[in-house]
Amino acid sequence: MKRIALPGCVREHFGEYSTFVALVSREGGDWGSVVVEAARAVPVLQNLNVADLKNTVLGISSKDAFDVARLISGGSLLYGPPRPIENAQRDACLLNLFEALGEHAEFFTNHGEAEDGETGDFSTLSCHVNVLAETTIDVCLIGVSDSKVLILWRFEDD
């Protein structure tokens, strides 16, 4: 697994202490193993394992994935976003991250609305999640292509 440089805009839109953002290479093999290996750098994710990850996340569309990415980058999950969910600069940055995966990427999340399929509302703060981190709440978005894995993760304690 090799980490790929992130666009400079990422620092502006993801909190250093409450989020984990990584773009890593994937040379075949299981994407879950790539995620777990990359996430081990984060103390609250050190006990993450492939089986729990794959049993907890569900597939979502790229449109819904973009909404989850907005939620993760938009501010606190417990206390609401410090800035508006609509943010053109942030959306451009997220689009840049998504483009790095290519147009055939698959997306997965532990956001509870994924259970509702296409009717889920991924922009709401009043949602349940299937917690994977060692925190009160966490929301992850995992983007998978043939050659890369994008990991966006927000975790918080109350």
Side-chain angles (χ1 to χ4, degrees), residues 46-113:
Q46 286 183 348
N47 291 324
L48 181 67
N49 65 65
V50 175
D52 288 344
L53 175 68
K54 288 198 146 186
N55 287 331
T56 303
V57 298
L58 296 171
I60 58 174
S61 71
S62 59
K63 178 198 168 299
D64 290 337
F66 199 80
D67 286 343
V68 174
R70 281 177 159 170
L71 181 66
I72 291 170
S73 65
S76 175
L77 299 169
L78 295 170
Y79 306 109
R83 54 189 176 261
I85 293 295
E86 296 294 327
N87 180 313
Q89 289 178 327
R90 192 241 1 256
D91 287 357
C93 184
L94 294 175
L95 187 57
N96 194 352
L97 283 173
F98 277 43
E99 287 173 350
L101 289 175
E103 61 184 74
H104 300 294
E106 294 180 275
F107 294 93
F108 303 90
T109 186
N110 66 331
H111 190 300
E113 294 290 314

Side-chain angles (χ1 to χ4, degrees), residues 80-155:
R83 54 189 176 261
I85 293 295
E86 296 294 327
N87 180 313
Q89 289 178 327
R90 192 241 1 256
D91 287 357
C93 184
L94 294 175
L95 187 57
N96 194 352
L97 283 173
F98 277 43
E99 287 173 350
L101 289 175
E103 61 184 74
H104 300 294
E106 294 180 275
F107 294 93
F108 303 90
T109 186
N110 66 331
H111 190 300
E113 294 290 314
E115 295 171 2
D116 294 337
E118 292 183 21
T119 62
D121 179 3
F122 293 91
S123 61
T124 182
L125 284 174
S126 60
C127 65
H128 77 278
V129 296
N130 298 314
V131 177
L132 286 161
E134 295 177 6
T135 57
T136 303
I137 189 169
D138 69 286
V139 174
C140 69
L141 175 68
I142 301 164
V144 179
S145 73
D146 290 339
S147 61
K148 297 175 189 161
V149 175
L150 173 66
I151 306 161
L152 305 179
W153 214 308
R154 176 172 287 280
F155 30 85

